[in-house]
């Protein structure tokens, strides 16, 4: 296990490890990029990275993070892709125990086995926003990712890109698997995750992604991620 203090703005280029990894953001907030996807790892959360997965790391909020290496031979977990996990109080104590008792032994082996048995996937650390390829709706998608607070409807966007509402509706459904409204909500929530992870308040985040009322934003956030916005705020020092 490796524990380290990380500074905001720290970046690690793409690399890979021969072991499975549990990347735990004890008080920092990091993003882990794996190919075309990126995973937000806020405090009290972790990410399971299968052995050999190429990944890069960006630190959004300073603090402490730790990485637990898991032997591939004895590991019962068969997740072939990165998986977000919640660090429950019991899982936290088991990891702390491993950190304080680094030497091999039967007790450590038992603790490792229990830890792996308790890991459960959780939604929300990865919020995928599919990008279309048709140039008309890709123009809309790129503009909304750059400015998620843009409130224009499809009729207004149609004038911008030279296509009718019916055509744009069909293209969004075909290329993203979502309606325009649902896609925009997902894009807003993905942007919100980054704002929250960097320490912005819920109210400021709501305004930044196009919501006039924090309550409406919180409701939408919970529907998409399954958690409240406050769950993604960085921990205060000492927590």
């Amino acid at each position: 296990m490796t524990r380290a203090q990380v500074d905001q703005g720290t970046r690690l280029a793409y690399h890979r490890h021969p072991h499975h990894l549990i990347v735990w953001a004890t008080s920092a907030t990091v993003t882990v990029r794996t190919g075309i996807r990126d995973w937000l790892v806020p405090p009290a959360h972790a990410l399971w990275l299968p052995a050999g997965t190429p990944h890069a790391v960006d630190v959004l909020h300073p603090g402490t993070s730790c990485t637990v290496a898991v032997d591939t031979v004895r590991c019962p977990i068969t997740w072939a892709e990165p998986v977000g996990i919640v660090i429950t109080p019991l899982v936290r104590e088991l990891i702390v125990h491993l950190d304080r008792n680094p030497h091999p032994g039967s007790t450590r082996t038992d603790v490792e086995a229990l830890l792996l048995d308790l890991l459960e996937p959780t939604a929300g650390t990865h919020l995928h926003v599919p990008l279309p390829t048709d140039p008309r709706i890709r123009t809309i998608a790129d503009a909304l990712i750059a400015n998620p607070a843009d409130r224009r409807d499809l009729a207004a966007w149609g004038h911008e890109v030279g296509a009718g509402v019916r055509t744009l509706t069909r293209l969004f459904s075909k290329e993203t698997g979502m309606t325009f409204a649902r896609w925009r909500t997902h894009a807003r929530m993905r942007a919100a995750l980054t704002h929250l992870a960097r320490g912005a308040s819920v109210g400021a985040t709501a305004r930044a992604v196009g919501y006039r009322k924090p309550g409406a934003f919180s409701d939408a956030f919970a529907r998409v991620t399954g958690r409240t916005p406050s769950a993604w705020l960085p921990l205060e020092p000492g927590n």
Side-chain angles (χ1 to χ4, degrees):
M1 173 172 161
T2 303
R3 183 185 297 268
Q5 185 74 23
V6 291
D7 297 324
Q8 184 170 343
T10 299
R11 292 186 171 183
L12 297 178
Y14 274 99
H15 60 288
R16 64 182 75 199
H17 299 271
H19 304 290
H20 302 310
L21 297 181
I22 300 172
V23 181
W24 175 29
T26 53
S27 63
T29 300
V30 303
T31 57
V32 180
R33 285 174 282 122
T34 58
I36 62 172
R37 298 186 177 186
D38 62 329
W39 301 76
L40 184 72
V41 187
H45 288 70
L47 182 68
W48 175 270
L49 275 174
T53 302
H55 61 282
V57 179
D58 293 288
V59 179
L60 300 182
H61 192 274
T64 305
S65 69
C66 73
T67 303
V68 180
V70 179
D71 190 342
T72 57
V73 176
R74 298 181 311 208
C75 181
I77 293 177
T78 57
W79 299 330
E81 295 183 353
V83 175
I85 50 180
V86 171
I87 299 296
T88 64
L90 179 53
V91 167
R92 177 190 181 98
E93 290 306 312
L94 291 173
I95 294 177
V96 170
H97 176 83
L98 292 175
D99 182 40
R100 293 174 177 171
N101 300 274
H103 302 296
S106 59
T107 301
R108 181 179 176 87
T109 300
D110 291 342
V111 171
E112 289 176 344
L114 179 58
L115 170 64
L116 296 176
D117 188 52
L118 292 173
L119 296 183
E120 295 184 0
T122 182
T125 53
H126 171 60
L127 181 56
H128 184 47
V129 180
L131 293 177
T133 57
D134 182 282
R136 291 163 293 184
I137 58 172
R138 181 56 182 263
T139 296
I140 299 171
D142 287 345
L144 287 172
I145 288 174
N147 179 21
D150 194 318
R151 294 189 177 91
R152 281 180 285 180
D153 59 16
L154 271 185
W157 281 114
H159 289 296
E160 178 84 13
V161 301
V165 171
R166 184 174 299 178
T167 297
L168 296 178
T169 299
R170 176 179 56 81
L171 287 171
F172 259 100
S173 179
K174 177 183 177 182
E175 296 210 5
T176 70
M178 303 180 184
T179 64
F180 167 71
R182 186 182 175 209
W183 185 93
R184 180 171 61 182
T185 298
H186 274 65
R188 285 175 168 178
M189 296 308 109
R190 184 63 187 88
L193 288 173
T194 300
H195 282 285
L196 292 168
R198 287 175 172 160
S201 68
V202 173
T205 298
R207 292 188 295 273
V209 299
Y211 288 83
R212 294 185 176 92
K213 297 181 178 179
F217 162 70
S218 295
D219 289 344
F221 189 92
R223 285 197 304 271
V224 172
T225 69
R227 298 175 69 82
T228 62
S230 60
W232 299 91
L233 293 171
L235 296 177
E236 293 298 325
N239 289 350

